[in-house]
């Protein structure tokens, strides 16, 4: 069975093939059809999680804390279907682009912050967010998720992409993923996992809820 898409996300035909799409101002040169714009799963781990049918448990309108926003490719789609969306990124250069993306999206709040230091943005992010979306692609990915658990409501969801090569380029990805899942279990119950091929090599998508 195919899992339901969040409200505000649809499948639509673009140039003869069915693609994910959200409604909003284009951001990265993606194809558009009226108000709809392609959500390119090849450029988005969360998009790949949807394409690969992980059950994200999102219905649309959620409050989201997004960790590793970069220039805003994926978080722009999230802000198209979600409620208040806090976008954390620690590299100043992409944050400049992210600020531009947020200019047309009232619910998108860019934060130039380090996701390993949640205490530095705890005063800005509202309590009990519905979802944490994480794509930091850096060593210690599970630790980042555990440290940010404090923002998540008890019924909330962690939707994380774990990049094996960011942890250890020499180890088998499956071994890296097992360790990351073990680390996540300190704060989360794992609900679903799935590899993100063919969109992203050696990445694991993880859906979890707070323990
Ligand atoms: C793979 S890219 C994210 C792509 C983005 N999620 C998207 O789909 O549009 C990973 C991003 O995480 C950021 N990042 C890595 N570690 C971080 C940290 N500790 N705090 C905040 N951002 C971090 C990097 O600077 C990079 O921009």
């Amino acid at each position: 069975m195919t899992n339901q898409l969040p409200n505000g996300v649809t499948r639509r035909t673009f140039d003869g093939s069915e693609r994910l799409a959200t409604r909003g101002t284009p951001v990265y040169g993606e194809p558009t059809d009226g108000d709809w714009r392609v959500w390119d799963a090849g450029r988005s781990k969360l998009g790949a999680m949807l394409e690969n049918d992980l059950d994200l448990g999102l219905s649309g309108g959620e409050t989201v804390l997004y960790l590793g926003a970069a220039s805003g490719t994926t978080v722009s789609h999230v802000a198209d279907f979600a409620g208040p969306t806090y976008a954390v990124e620690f590299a100043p250069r992409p944050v400049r682009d992210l600020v531009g993306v947020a200019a047309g999206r009232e619910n998108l709040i860019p934060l130039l912050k380090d996701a390993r230091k949640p205490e530095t943005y705890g005063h800005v992010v509202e309590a009990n967010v519905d979802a944490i979306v994480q794509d930091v692609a850096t060593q210690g990915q599970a630790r980042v998720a555990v440290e940010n658990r404090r923002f998540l409501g008890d019924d909330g969801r962690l939707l994380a992409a774990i990049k094996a090569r960011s942890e250890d380029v020499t180890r088998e990805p499956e071994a890296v993923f097992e360790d990351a899942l073990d680390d996540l279990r300190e704060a989360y119950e794992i609900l679903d996992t799935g590899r993100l091929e063919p969109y992203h090599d050696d990445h694991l998508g993880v859906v979890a809820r707070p323990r």
Side-chain angles (χ1 to χ4, degrees), residues 43-46 66-76 88-91 94 111 113-117 121 133-139 144 163 203:
R43 298 189 54 170
S44 169
K45 314 309 159 15
L46 190 67
Y66 191 107
L67 305 173
S71 303
T73 301
T74 299
V75 79
S76 68
V88 174
E89 168 58 54
F90 74 171
L111 298 169
K113 296 288 180 190
D114 186 337
R116 292 168 302 190
K117 298 176 183 160
Y121 47 88
V133 179
Q134 180 180 311
D135 179 21
V136 289
T138 188
Q139 205 173 25
V144 169
K163 182 178 180 180
H203 283 72

Side-chain angles (χ1 to χ4, degrees), residues 167-182:
E167 299 295 340
D168 189 338
V169 287
T170 66
R171 290 181 73 206
E172 278 301 312
E174 284 304 326
V176 174
F177 297 147
E178 277 315 311
D179 283 358
L181 291 173
D182 274 349

